[in-house]
Amino acid sequence: MSNVFIALQTNEESRHIVEALLEDNPTAVVDEQPAMVKINVPGSLVLRRTTVEEKMGRPFDLQEMQVNLITLSGHVDEDEDEFRLSWND
Amino acid sequence: MQIDLRTVSIKPLRNTFDHLVRRFGDKPASRYQEGSYDIQADANLQYRPTWDPEHELHDPGRTAIVMADWYAFKDPRQYYYGAYTLARARQQESAESSFEFVESRGLLAQMDEATRALALAVLMPLRHAAWGANMNNTGMCADGYGTLITQPCMYHAMDNLGVAQYLTRLGLLLGDVTTLDAGREAWLNDVRWQPLRRLVEKTLVTQDWFELFVAQNFVLDGLLYPLIYEQFVDKHLNAHGGAGVSMLTAFMGEWHGETRRWIDSVIKIAAAESDANKALLTEWTRQWRGAAVEALSPIAQQALGDTAADVLATVDQSFNDRAAKLGLTL
Amino acid sequence: MDMQVKKKLGLKEKYALMTRNLGWEPSYEKREDVYPLLDYEGIKIHDWDKWEDPFRLTMDSYWKYQAEKERKLYAIIDAFNQNNGHLNVTDARYINAMKIFLSAVPSLEYNAHRGFARLGRHMGGVGPQVACQMQAIDEIRHCQTQIHSISNYNRFYNGIHDWKYMNDRLWYLSVPKSFFEDACSCGPFEFIIAIGFSFEYVLTNLVFVPFVSGAAYNGDMGTMTFGFSAQSDEARHMTLGLEVIKFMLEQDPANLPIVQKWIDKWTWRGVRLLTIVAMMMDYMLPKRVMSWKEAWEIYFEQNGMSLFKDLARYGIKVPDCVEQIKKEKDHLSHQAWTTFYAAAPMTNFHTWIPSDDELDWLSSKYPDTFDKYYRPRFEFFREQAEKGERFVNPNLPQLCQVCQIPMLFTEPDDPTQIAYRQVEHAGEKYHFCSDHCQHIFEHEPEKYVEAWLPVHQILQGNCFAKGDDPTAPDFNPIASVMKWWHLENGKDNGDFAGSEDEKNFAQWRGMATSNT
Ligand SMILES: [Fe+2]
Ligand SMILES: [Fe+2]
């Protein structure tokens, strides 16, 4: 099974997103690089708005992730509540 | 090793890039200058484009307008991406609070049913006209020559899309999805809207990108925005309890005022370049103005009733004055 | 967006009303006149409504989030410049990587901007048009933020004072220039496969992720910020590239062979282009995060291959060139750096022989090849330099007719043999670096005979400075070409050791350390 991944700039805001990702995706593997953090997950990944909101303690629009995103891999599917990445293989 | 570099005062070897020194002299350059002047490839272009083998990839010959230097078209707003986006983000924020304000104060409820219906009947089909403007400006960015003029065309195209989207939000706020459907139906089939749609479709097949600039940005929107947003929304609707609508279209009015400065400067600079340019611009303006006034008149009629002819004549007159100031003799 | 609407409409529905609902079928003009570019490449699209929007950003959110990114980016650039951040980089050799970056990349971004504007106008449906338009405006952002970030280096260091002029003329810059001009001269569908899919999805991660992370590691916060900030738009672009390819393959089975041919061609074109990035990663970052080979394995072999595995359900095959690419990963960066080292008088950046530590690092990262083939070369260069006979290649190199890179690549199965291929077309001989470049030529000879090859142009006398007389007895052709390039001999080119850059950096840093 191929990995999907998402990479974020290392900063205070994305720290919460990473925490949420780890909680929502138990098989996630964190790869820390200078100034960035990359999360690899076999097959597919989900980020839930509610999980991020809980970590941040404020309302969060999933599109806000644009600001700290570096790159990703996999098919994207997003709505108001979830951001998903997956491969069909 | 932690060193404090702020305390070091060192003299730079040079102020800016050579191509800017050649244009403006040896002094520091602005971000607008660094990000815009001469950055399109202009020498040793490789391969003829398969979609237009008659021309090079970037080629000044895609319009009949001739310029000695295509970097004469300085944008008076000096928009590079960062400056442009920050300006629009500020406007977006104020549009956002207008939408919130109108909703929370129930401003739209003050409008009677007839006024609401009229507002929607006039504004909803314009979503499609704005989409046409978006396609045209995107095309001008693709076909144009020199970043100074192609760059603002791309920003303008995105603004056109923004206008279409603000109109969509307005429709959803004053009505629902069927409101948008009704506007679409009018755009496609209502006899009053067909002259405008025909005109917009004609712009979509206009080959000369500078002529398209004249047709779309200078003439058509130069008549449509004052007619619709100043005369119809801000005056007519406002007088009939439609102040809420005019708050929701504040972006369009403000935007038209801002972008007009850029459009005027383009026309003025091109006309001042040569008599041949001036003659072409005059001819294009005359033709498209005639067609645009004709296309807008049934819409003015629908929007303004009895006063339509007078209002349209005033709008037309002030457009002619504007053209005259830019050096065109219509 | 207001709450009342939110309750009624989901993100997808609302976005559809904000985009595809705006379009209409023209009836006063013919559809093929409004969209004249859709047929000639042979791609068949039956239903543009089947398009799935990859990201759903309306203009108001776009302005909002992009402005936030811009604010952050320029705040960091300003601080970096005001605090003389350039003196904080690990070692002034690093700045030469930034010189290559500015010389090559903003022009690529610019052409991407114009190319996507063409697609934003000419794609046959509002969904893909809007996605292409957003990419068009993002790409001018990348071009400008790169210029703005690197501009300060130009004020203090040599080599990039006339980057745009050089981009249209200097020999090695014809490689990136011809790559993008090639793509932009294609029809809309090939362009989006070339750039949106092959380049963005498969390859840009290699430039913007490990290399930019490396810039941060070397103390260049300005570059780190514009690099990551650009790549966040790239995430949207890659998603567009992937969506487009799925869309084309789902629309008609007849599209498969055309798309496959384009993927094969543009994967190879892109990989050749990245040769210079390989060299930047292995040789030009004083502190290294990972080797080119490691980055390649993560972003091409793992990530790129997941993509091909995913597309296998449509019948897409991994391009043939991948076999050769696999063999080259152990060689590429070394072959490129030795070539540039030997061409040092003709480049707008400095080169050097790696230090002993660096040679050891390269040995450890490339255990199968470095000590065997490349370390001896550097040892030879060093001996020559110590004798005062710095090695320089005295000849103008032969260039590949397609990728325009000098013949520096070896045979895939024999690293001691430079690969040459040759084809005759219409009575002329054309030369190639590889089977794959040769095949690309054979497929479209009319296009590639039009290439503007710098070495040919020099030999034909088209690149001498204005006013120089090639028939004069004291005419120095190389000096004249350098003048035409606007290359300042003795400042912009040659060895890093002994350069003005080296002296200035040491002196300025010295001032900083003694001042505090
Ligand atoms: Fe880009
Ligand atoms: Fe080649």
PDB file of all heavy atoms in Angstrom, chain C residues 75-93:
ATOM      1  N   ALA C  75       7.101  39.964   5.575  1.00  0.00           N
ATOM      2  CA  ALA C  75       7.632  40.338   6.887  1.00  0.00           C
ATOM      3  C   ALA C  75       8.970  39.633   7.118  1.00  0.00           C
ATOM      4  O   ALA C  75       9.933  40.233   7.609  1.00  0.00           O
ATOM      5  CB  ALA C  75       6.636  39.970   7.979  1.00  0.00           C
ATOM      6  N   ILE C  76       9.039  38.371   6.724  1.00  0.00           N
ATOM      7  CA  ILE C  76      10.294  37.633   6.922  1.00  0.00           C
ATOM      8  C   ILE C  76      11.381  38.133   5.984  1.00  0.00           C
ATOM      9  O   ILE C  76      12.530  38.315   6.387  1.00  0.00           O
ATOM     10  CB  ILE C  76      10.055  36.116   6.782  1.00  0.00           C
ATOM     11  CG1 ILE C  76       9.206  35.659   7.972  1.00  0.00           C
ATOM     12  CG2 ILE C  76      11.373  35.346   6.733  1.00  0.00           C
ATOM     13  CD1 ILE C  76       8.732  34.246   7.910  1.00  0.00           C
ATOM     14  N   ILE C  77      11.011  38.391   4.738  1.00  0.00           N
ATOM     15  CA  ILE C  77      12.015  38.911   3.789  1.00  0.00           C
ATOM     16  C   ILE C  77      12.563  40.247   4.301  1.00  0.00           C
ATOM     17  O   ILE C  77      13.777  40.470   4.301  1.00  0.00           O
ATOM     18  CB  ILE C  77      11.417  39.109   2.379  1.00  0.00           C
ATOM     19  CG1 ILE C  77      10.992  37.766   1.783  1.00  0.00           C
ATOM     20  CG2 ILE C  77      12.437  39.779   1.453  1.00  0.00           C
ATOM     21  CD1 ILE C  77      10.261  37.908   0.448  1.00  0.00           C
ATOM     22  N   ASP C  78      11.665  41.123   4.737  1.00  0.00           N
ATOM     23  CA  ASP C  78      12.113  42.435   5.230  1.00  0.00           C
ATOM     24  C   ASP C  78      13.069  42.278   6.411  1.00  0.00           C
ATOM     25  O   ASP C  78      14.116  42.916   6.474  1.00  0.00           O
ATOM     26  CB  ASP C  78      10.915  43.296   5.661  1.00  0.00           C
ATOM     27  CG  ASP C  78      10.136  43.817   4.448  1.00  0.00           C
ATOM     28  OD1 ASP C  78      10.700  43.786   3.332  1.00  0.00           O
ATOM     29  OD2 ASP C  78       8.976  44.238   4.626  1.00  0.00           O
ATOM     30  N   ALA C  79      12.687  41.421   7.346  1.00  0.00           N
ATOM     31  CA  ALA C  79      13.534  41.232   8.529  1.00  0.00           C
ATOM     32  C   ALA C  79      14.879  40.637   8.126  1.00  0.00           C
ATOM     33  O   ALA C  79      15.933  41.064   8.593  1.00  0.00           O
ATOM     34  CB  ALA C  79      12.830  40.317   9.531  1.00  0.00           C
ATOM     35  N   PHE C  80      14.834  39.671   7.221  1.00  0.00           N
ATOM     36  CA  PHE C  80      16.061  39.014   6.755  1.00  0.00           C
ATOM     37  C   PHE C  80      16.994  40.049   6.113  1.00  0.00           C
ATOM     38  O   PHE C  80      18.194  40.070   6.377  1.00  0.00           O
ATOM     39  CB  PHE C  80      15.686  37.913   5.754  1.00  0.00           C
ATOM     40  CG  PHE C  80      16.831  37.025   5.349  1.00  0.00           C
ATOM     41  CD1 PHE C  80      17.284  36.016   6.200  1.00  0.00           C
ATOM     42  CD2 PHE C  80      17.445  37.181   4.114  1.00  0.00           C
ATOM     43  CE1 PHE C  80      18.333  35.188   5.811  1.00  0.00           C
ATOM     44  CE2 PHE C  80      18.495  36.350   3.723  1.00  0.00           C
ATOM     45  CZ  PHE C  80      18.936  35.353   4.568  1.00  0.00           C
ATOM     46  N   ASN C  81      16.419  40.920   5.304  1.00  0.00           N
ATOM     47  CA  ASN C  81      17.240  41.931   4.639  1.00  0.00           C
ATOM     48  C   ASN C  81      17.765  42.985   5.611  1.00  0.00           C
ATOM     49  O   ASN C  81      18.933  43.345   5.587  1.00  0.00           O
ATOM     50  CB  ASN C  81      16.453  42.613   3.512  1.00  0.00           C
ATOM     51  CG  ASN C  81      16.111  41.640   2.402  1.00  0.00           C
ATOM     52  OD1 ASN C  81      16.616  40.518   2.371  1.00  0.00           O
ATOM     53  ND2 ASN C  81      15.243  42.062   1.505  1.00  0.00           N
ATOM     54  N   GLN C  82      16.869  43.469   6.466  1.00  0.00           N
ATOM     55  CA  GLN C  82      17.275  44.525   7.389  1.00  0.00           C
ATOM     56  C   GLN C  82      18.359  44.060   8.352  1.00  0.00           C
ATOM     57  O   GLN C  82      19.223  44.821   8.753  1.00  0.00           O
ATOM     58  CB  GLN C  82      16.075  45.030   8.199  1.00  0.00           C
ATOM     59  CG  GLN C  82      15.230  46.013   7.412  1.00  0.00           C
ATOM     60  CD  GLN C  82      13.793  46.053   7.919  1.00  0.00           C
ATOM     61  OE1 GLN C  82      13.508  45.611   9.036  1.00  0.00           O
ATOM     62  NE2 GLN C  82      12.891  46.582   7.102  1.00  0.00           N
ATOM     63  N   ASN C  83      18.306  42.786   8.714  1.00  0.00           N
ATOM     64  CA  ASN C  83      19.277  42.278   9.684  1.00  0.00           C
ATOM     65  C   ASN C  83      20.497  41.667   9.013  1.00  0.00           C
ATOM     66  O   ASN C  83      21.210  40.884   9.639  1.00  0.00           O
ATOM     67  CB  ASN C  83      18.622  41.218  10.576  1.00  0.00           C
ATOM     68  CG  ASN C  83      17.471  41.800  11.363  1.00  0.00           C
ATOM     69  OD1 ASN C  83      17.381  43.012  11.527  1.00  0.00           O
ATOM     70  ND2 ASN C  83      16.583  40.944  11.817  1.00  0.00           N
ATOM     71  N   ASN C  84      20.714  41.986   7.743  1.00  0.00           N
ATOM     72  CA  ASN C  84      21.840  41.380   7.027  1.00  0.00           C
ATOM     73  C   ASN C  84      21.829  39.862   7.148  1.00  0.00           C
ATOM     74  O   ASN C  84      22.855  39.230   7.382  1.00  0.00           O
ATOM     75  CB  ASN C  84      23.173  41.911   7.568  1.00  0.00           C
ATOM     76  CG  ASN C  84      23.387  43.367   7.194  1.00  0.00           C
ATOM     77  OD1 ASN C  84      23.083  43.768   6.075  1.00  0.00           O
ATOM     78  ND2 ASN C  84      23.883  44.150   8.129  1.00  0.00           N
ATOM     79  N   GLY C  85      20.656  39.295   6.960  1.00  0.00           N
ATOM     80  CA  GLY C  85      20.510  37.846   7.093  1.00  0.00           C
ATOM     81  C   GLY C  85      21.430  37.068   6.175  1.00  0.00           C
ATOM     82  O   GLY C  85      21.822  35.942   6.487  1.00  0.00           O
ATOM     83  N   HIS C  86      21.831  37.696   5.073  1.00  0.00           N
ATOM     84  CA  HIS C  86      22.709  36.970   4.136  1.00  0.00           C
ATOM     85  C   HIS C  86      24.039  36.593   4.787  1.00  0.00           C
ATOM     86  O   HIS C  86      24.696  35.646   4.365  1.00  0.00           O
ATOM     87  CB  HIS C  86      22.935  37.789   2.859  1.00  0.00           C
ATOM     88  CG  HIS C  86      23.583  39.126   3.078  1.00  0.00           C
ATOM     89  ND1 HIS C  86      24.920  39.337   2.909  1.00  0.00           N
ATOM     90  CD2 HIS C  86      23.066  40.323   3.467  1.00  0.00           C
ATOM     91  CE1 HIS C  86      25.212  40.608   3.158  1.00  0.00           C
ATOM     92  NE2 HIS C  86      24.105  41.231   3.506  1.00  0.00           N
ATOM     93  N   LEU C  87      24.434  37.356   5.836  1.00  0.00           N
ATOM     94  CA  LEU C  87      25.698  37.016   6.505  1.00  0.00           C
ATOM     95  C   LEU C  87      25.536  35.848   7.467  1.00  0.00           C
ATOM     96  O   LEU C  87      26.497  35.348   8.032  1.00  0.00           O
ATOM     97  CB  LEU C  87      26.237  38.234   7.261  1.00  0.00           C
ATOM     98  CG  LEU C  87      26.639  39.417   6.370  1.00  0.00           C
ATOM     99  CD1 LEU C  87      27.105  40.585   7.223  1.00  0.00           C
ATOM    100  CD2 LEU C  87      27.728  39.012   5.385  1.00  0.00           C
ATOM    101  N   ASN C  88      24.309  35.433   7.628  1.00  0.00           N
ATOM    102  CA  ASN C  88      24.036  34.329   8.543  1.00  0.00           C
ATOM    103  C   ASN C  88      24.028  32.973   7.852  1.00  0.00           C
ATOM    104  O   ASN C  88      23.879  31.952   8.505  1.00  0.00           O
ATOM    105  CB  ASN C  88      22.675  34.555   9.206  1.00  0.00           C
ATOM    106  CG  ASN C  88      22.783  34.457  10.707  1.00  0.00           C
ATOM    107  OD1 ASN C  88      23.773  33.939  11.216  1.00  0.00           O
ATOM    108  ND2 ASN C  88      21.773  34.936  11.402  1.00  0.00           N
ATOM    109  N   VAL C  89      24.175  32.961   6.539  1.00  0.00           N
ATOM    110  CA  VAL C  89      24.188  31.658   5.878  1.00  0.00           C
ATOM    111  C   VAL C  89      25.487  30.944   6.249  1.00  0.00           C
ATOM    112  O   VAL C  89      26.491  31.583   6.571  1.00  0.00           O
ATOM    113  CB  VAL C  89      24.009  31.755   4.341  1.00  0.00           C
ATOM    114  CG1 VAL C  89      22.715  32.463   3.993  1.00  0.00           C
ATOM    115  CG2 VAL C  89      25.191  32.440   3.667  1.00  0.00           C
ATOM    116  N   THR C  90      25.424  29.622   6.217  1.00  0.00           N
ATOM    117  CA  THR C  90      26.548  28.825   6.711  1.00  0.00           C
ATOM    118  C   THR C  90      27.883  29.226   6.110  1.00  0.00           C
ATOM    119  O   THR C  90      28.906  29.228   6.782  1.00  0.00           O
ATOM    120  CB  THR C  90      26.319  27.342   6.380  1.00  0.00           C
ATOM    121  OG1 THR C  90      25.708  27.278   5.086  1.00  0.00           O
ATOM    122  CG2 THR C  90      25.426  26.703   7.409  1.00  0.00           C
ATOM    123  N   ASP C  91      27.856  29.586   4.831  1.00  0.00           N
ATOM    124  CA  ASP C  91      29.108  29.700   4.102  1.00  0.00           C
ATOM    125  C   ASP C  91      28.734  30.391   2.789  1.00  0.00           C
ATOM    126  O   ASP C  91      27.708  30.083   2.202  1.00  0.00           O
ATOM    127  CB  ASP C  91      29.583  28.248   3.924  1.00  0.00           C
ATOM    128  CG  ASP C  91      30.734  28.036   2.965  1.00  0.00           C
ATOM    129  OD1 ASP C  91      30.961  28.863   2.077  1.00  0.00           O
ATOM    130  OD2 ASP C  91      31.390  26.995   3.128  1.00  0.00           O
ATOM    131  N   ALA C  92      29.554  31.324   2.332  1.00  0.00           N
ATOM    132  CA  ALA C  92      29.159  32.117   1.160  1.00  0.00           C
ATOM    133  C   ALA C  92      29.057  31.297  -0.115  1.00  0.00           C
ATOM    134  O   ALA C  92      28.467  31.734  -1.089  1.00  0.00           O
ATOM    135  CB  ALA C  92      30.136  33.278   0.961  1.00  0.00           C
ATOM    136  N   ARG C  93      29.623  30.089  -0.123  1.00  0.00           N
ATOM    137  CA  ARG C  93      29.465  29.252  -1.312  1.00  0.00           C
ATOM    138  C   ARG C  93      27.978  28.989  -1.572  1.00  0.00           C
ATOM    139  O   ARG C  93      27.541  28.895  -2.709  1.00  0.00           O
ATOM    140  CB  ARG C  93      30.195  27.911  -1.141  1.00  0.00           C
ATOM    141  CG  ARG C  93      31.712  28.045  -1.145  1.00  0.00           C
ATOM    142  CD  ARG C  93      32.382  26.698  -0.922  1.00  0.00           C
ATOM    143  NE  ARG C  93      31.915  26.080   0.311  1.00  0.00           N
ATOM    144  CZ  ARG C  93      32.084  24.806   0.632  1.00  0.00           C
ATOM    145  NH1 ARG C  93      32.728  23.979  -0.201  1.00  0.00           N
ATOM    146  NH2 ARG C  93      31.640  24.326   1.766  1.00  0.00           N
TER     147      ARG C  93
END
